[in-house]
PDB file of all heavy atoms in Angstrom:
ATOM      1  N   MET A  14     -30.257  34.127 -68.158  1.00  0.00           N
ATOM      2  CA  MET A  14     -31.020  32.892 -68.054  1.00  0.00           C
ATOM      3  C   MET A  14     -31.282  32.283 -69.425  1.00  0.00           C
ATOM      4  O   MET A  14     -31.556  31.097 -69.540  1.00  0.00           O
ATOM      5  CB  MET A  14     -32.365  33.140 -67.344  1.00  0.00           C
ATOM      6  CG  MET A  14     -32.213  33.567 -65.891  1.00  0.00           C
ATOM      7  SD  MET A  14     -31.238  32.386 -64.926  1.00  0.00           S
ATOM      8  CE  MET A  14     -32.365  30.990 -64.952  1.00  0.00           C
ATOM      9  N   HIS A  33     -22.551  25.030 -63.905  1.00  0.00           N
ATOM     10  CA  HIS A  33     -23.671  25.478 -64.731  1.00  0.00           C
ATOM     11  C   HIS A  33     -23.908  24.498 -65.865  1.00  0.00           C
ATOM     12  O   HIS A  33     -25.031  24.137 -66.169  1.00  0.00           O
ATOM     13  CB  HIS A  33     -23.375  26.875 -65.284  1.00  0.00           C
ATOM     14  CG  HIS A  33     -24.498  27.418 -66.126  1.00  0.00           C
ATOM     15  ND1 HIS A  33     -25.510  28.181 -65.592  1.00  0.00           N
ATOM     16  CD2 HIS A  33     -24.770  27.292 -67.443  1.00  0.00           C
ATOM     17  CE1 HIS A  33     -26.359  28.507 -66.557  1.00  0.00           C
ATOM     18  NE2 HIS A  33     -25.923  27.991 -67.683  1.00  0.00           N
ATOM     19  N   GLY A  35     -23.297  21.380 -65.963  1.00  0.00           N
ATOM     20  CA  GLY A  35     -23.880  20.143 -65.492  1.00  0.00           C
ATOM     21  C   GLY A  35     -25.370  20.283 -65.236  1.00  0.00           C
ATOM     22  O   GLY A  35     -26.091  19.296 -65.190  1.00  0.00           O
ATOM     23  N   HIS A  42     -21.312  17.928 -73.167  1.00  0.00           N
ATOM     24  CA  HIS A  42     -20.468  17.602 -74.315  1.00  0.00           C
ATOM     25  C   HIS A  42     -21.137  16.435 -75.032  1.00  0.00           C
ATOM     26  O   HIS A  42     -21.017  15.288 -74.634  1.00  0.00           O
ATOM     27  CB  HIS A  42     -19.069  17.219 -73.808  1.00  0.00           C
ATOM     28  CG  HIS A  42     -18.124  16.836 -74.906  1.00  0.00           C
ATOM     29  ND1 HIS A  42     -17.179  17.707 -75.411  1.00  0.00           N
ATOM     30  CD2 HIS A  42     -17.954  15.677 -75.590  1.00  0.00           C
ATOM     31  CE1 HIS A  42     -16.479  17.093 -76.351  1.00  0.00           C
ATOM     32  NE2 HIS A  42     -16.925  15.862 -76.464  1.00  0.00           N
ATOM     33  N   ILE A  63     -19.480  26.869 -80.170  1.00  0.00           N
ATOM     34  CA  ILE A  63     -18.853  25.934 -79.242  1.00  0.00           C
ATOM     35  C   ILE A  63     -19.275  24.535 -79.669  1.00  0.00           C
ATOM     36  O   ILE A  63     -20.468  24.221 -79.688  1.00  0.00           O
ATOM     37  CB  ILE A  63     -19.293  26.204 -77.790  1.00  0.00           C
ATOM     38  CG1 ILE A  63     -19.005  27.654 -77.397  1.00  0.00           C
ATOM     39  CG2 ILE A  63     -18.604  25.242 -76.829  1.00  0.00           C
ATOM     40  CD1 ILE A  63     -19.954  28.206 -76.396  1.00  0.00           C
ATOM     41  N   ALA A  97     -18.837  33.036 -94.985  1.00  0.00           N
ATOM     42  CA  ALA A  97     -19.380  31.888 -95.721  1.00  0.00           C
ATOM     43  C   ALA A  97     -20.001  30.879 -94.762  1.00  0.00           C
ATOM     44  O   ALA A  97     -21.092  30.351 -95.010  1.00  0.00           O
ATOM     45  CB  ALA A  97     -18.279  31.223 -96.541  1.00  0.00           C
ATOM     46  N   PHE A  99     -21.422  31.146 -91.871  1.00  0.00           N
ATOM     47  CA  PHE A  99     -22.698  31.494 -91.248  1.00  0.00           C
ATOM     48  C   PHE A  99     -23.679  32.107 -92.242  1.00  0.00           C
ATOM     49  O   PHE A  99     -24.688  32.693 -91.837  1.00  0.00           O
ATOM     50  CB  PHE A  99     -22.463  32.444 -90.074  1.00  0.00           C
ATOM     51  CG  PHE A  99     -21.622  31.828 -88.972  1.00  0.00           C
ATOM     52  CD1 PHE A  99     -20.293  32.186 -88.822  1.00  0.00           C
ATOM     53  CD2 PHE A  99     -22.147  30.863 -88.130  1.00  0.00           C
ATOM     54  CE1 PHE A  99     -19.511  31.613 -87.830  1.00  0.00           C
ATOM     55  CE2 PHE A  99     -21.377  30.279 -87.137  1.00  0.00           C
ATOM     56  CZ  PHE A  99     -20.053  30.656 -86.983  1.00  0.00           C
ATOM     57  N   PRO A 102     -24.853  37.477 -95.998  1.00  0.00           N
ATOM     58  CA  PRO A 102     -24.907  37.980 -97.371  1.00  0.00           C
ATOM     59  C   PRO A 102     -23.886  39.092 -97.617  1.00  0.00           C
ATOM     60  O   PRO A 102     -23.623  39.917 -96.737  1.00  0.00           O
ATOM     61  CB  PRO A 102     -26.336  38.518 -97.501  1.00  0.00           C
ATOM     62  CG  PRO A 102     -26.731  38.866 -96.103  1.00  0.00           C
ATOM     63  CD  PRO A 102     -26.063  37.846 -95.221  1.00  0.00           C
ATOM     64  N   LEU A 119      -6.709  22.274 -82.291  1.00  0.00           N
ATOM     65  CA  LEU A 119      -6.400  23.216 -83.370  1.00  0.00           C
ATOM     66  C   LEU A 119      -4.939  23.645 -83.331  1.00  0.00           C
ATOM     67  O   LEU A 119      -4.440  24.257 -84.262  1.00  0.00           O
ATOM     68  CB  LEU A 119      -7.291  24.459 -83.274  1.00  0.00           C
ATOM     69  CG  LEU A 119      -8.757  24.270 -83.649  1.00  0.00           C
ATOM     70  CD1 LEU A 119      -9.484  25.601 -83.570  1.00  0.00           C
ATOM     71  CD2 LEU A 119      -8.913  23.664 -85.031  1.00  0.00           C
ATOM     72  N   GLY A 120      -4.275  23.361 -82.221  1.00  0.00           N
ATOM     73  CA  GLY A 120      -2.853  23.664 -82.125  1.00  0.00           C
ATOM     74  C   GLY A 120      -2.553  25.079 -81.707  1.00  0.00           C
ATOM     75  O   GLY A 120      -1.417  25.493 -81.642  1.00  0.00           O
ATOM     76  N   HIS A 134      -5.808  37.797 -72.165  1.00  0.00           N
ATOM     77  CA  HIS A 134      -6.903  37.108 -71.494  1.00  0.00           C
ATOM     78  C   HIS A 134      -7.157  35.751 -72.132  1.00  0.00           C
ATOM     79  O   HIS A 134      -7.394  34.764 -71.456  1.00  0.00           O
ATOM     80  CB  HIS A 134      -8.167  37.972 -71.557  1.00  0.00           C
ATOM     81  CG  HIS A 134      -9.312  37.406 -70.747  1.00  0.00           C
ATOM     82  ND1 HIS A 134      -9.294  37.384 -69.377  1.00  0.00           N
ATOM     83  CD2 HIS A 134     -10.464  36.821 -71.131  1.00  0.00           C
ATOM     84  CE1 HIS A 134     -10.417  36.822 -68.937  1.00  0.00           C
ATOM     85  NE2 HIS A 134     -11.141  36.477 -69.979  1.00  0.00           N
ATOM     86  N   GLU A 137      -4.888  33.092 -70.958  1.00  0.00           N
ATOM     87  CA  GLU A 137      -5.287  32.574 -69.663  1.00  0.00           C
ATOM     88  C   GLU A 137      -6.425  31.578 -69.825  1.00  0.00           C
ATOM     89  O   GLU A 137      -6.463  30.544 -69.169  1.00  0.00           O
ATOM     90  CB  GLU A 137      -5.719  33.720 -68.751  1.00  0.00           C
ATOM     91  CG  GLU A 137      -4.570  34.658 -68.376  1.00  0.00           C
ATOM     92  CD  GLU A 137      -5.056  35.876 -67.624  1.00  0.00           C
ATOM     93  OE1 GLU A 137      -6.285  35.976 -67.421  1.00  0.00           O
ATOM     94  OE2 GLU A 137      -4.229  36.709 -67.249  1.00  0.00           O
ATOM     95  N   GLU A 146     -10.086  19.838 -71.033  1.00  0.00           N
ATOM     96  CA  GLU A 146      -9.921  18.840 -72.089  1.00  0.00           C
ATOM     97  C   GLU A 146      -9.179  17.617 -71.592  1.00  0.00           C
ATOM     98  O   GLU A 146      -9.353  16.517 -72.106  1.00  0.00           O
ATOM     99  CB  GLU A 146      -9.173  19.461 -73.270  1.00  0.00           C
ATOM    100  CG  GLU A 146     -10.036  20.437 -74.059  1.00  0.00           C
ATOM    101  CD  GLU A 146      -9.278  21.103 -75.177  1.00  0.00           C
ATOM    102  OE1 GLU A 146      -8.039  21.016 -75.178  1.00  0.00           O
ATOM    103  OE2 GLU A 146      -9.927  21.702 -76.034  1.00  0.00           O
ATOM    104  N   ASP A 152     -13.237  20.239 -76.838  1.00  0.00           N
ATOM    105  CA  ASP A 152     -14.128  21.172 -77.516  1.00  0.00           C
ATOM    106  C   ASP A 152     -13.321  22.144 -78.358  1.00  0.00           C
ATOM    107  O   ASP A 152     -12.153  22.417 -78.077  1.00  0.00           O
ATOM    108  CB  ASP A 152     -14.954  21.971 -76.506  1.00  0.00           C
ATOM    109  CG  ASP A 152     -16.045  21.128 -75.855  1.00  0.00           C
ATOM    110  OD1 ASP A 152     -16.382  20.062 -76.402  1.00  0.00           O
ATOM    111  OD2 ASP A 152     -16.550  21.548 -74.805  1.00  0.00           O
ATOM    112  N   PRO A 164     -26.314  46.449 -91.898  1.00  0.00           N
ATOM    113  CA  PRO A 164     -26.885  45.340 -91.125  1.00  0.00           C
ATOM    114  C   PRO A 164     -28.330  45.013 -91.489  1.00  0.00           C
ATOM    115  O   PRO A 164     -28.806  43.919 -91.205  1.00  0.00           O
ATOM    116  CB  PRO A 164     -26.762  45.820 -89.676  1.00  0.00           C
ATOM    117  CG  PRO A 164     -26.691  47.315 -89.766  1.00  0.00           C
ATOM    118  CD  PRO A 164     -25.954  47.597 -91.033  1.00  0.00           C
ATOM    119  N   VAL A 187     -29.139  27.418 -80.859  1.00  0.00           N
ATOM    120  CA  VAL A 187     -28.835  28.815 -81.162  1.00  0.00           C
ATOM    121  C   VAL A 187     -29.530  29.734 -80.163  1.00  0.00           C
ATOM    122  O   VAL A 187     -30.719  29.577 -79.886  1.00  0.00           O
ATOM    123  CB  VAL A 187     -29.284  29.183 -82.596  1.00  0.00           C
ATOM    124  CG1 VAL A 187     -28.990  30.652 -82.882  1.00  0.00           C
ATOM    125  CG2 VAL A 187     -28.593  28.288 -83.613  1.00  0.00           C
ATOM    126  N   GLY A 194     -35.628  40.894 -81.049  1.00  0.00           N
ATOM    127  CA  GLY A 194     -35.612  40.485 -79.651  1.00  0.00           C
ATOM    128  C   GLY A 194     -34.741  39.256 -79.420  1.00  0.00           C
ATOM    129  O   GLY A 194     -33.813  38.982 -80.181  1.00  0.00           O
TER     130      GLY A 194
END
Side-chain angles (χ1 to χ4, degrees):
M14 295 305 293
H33 181 91
H42 179 100
I63 304 150
F99 298 104
L119 288 183
H134 187 70
E137 293 173 359
E146 287 177 346
D152 287 342
V187 179

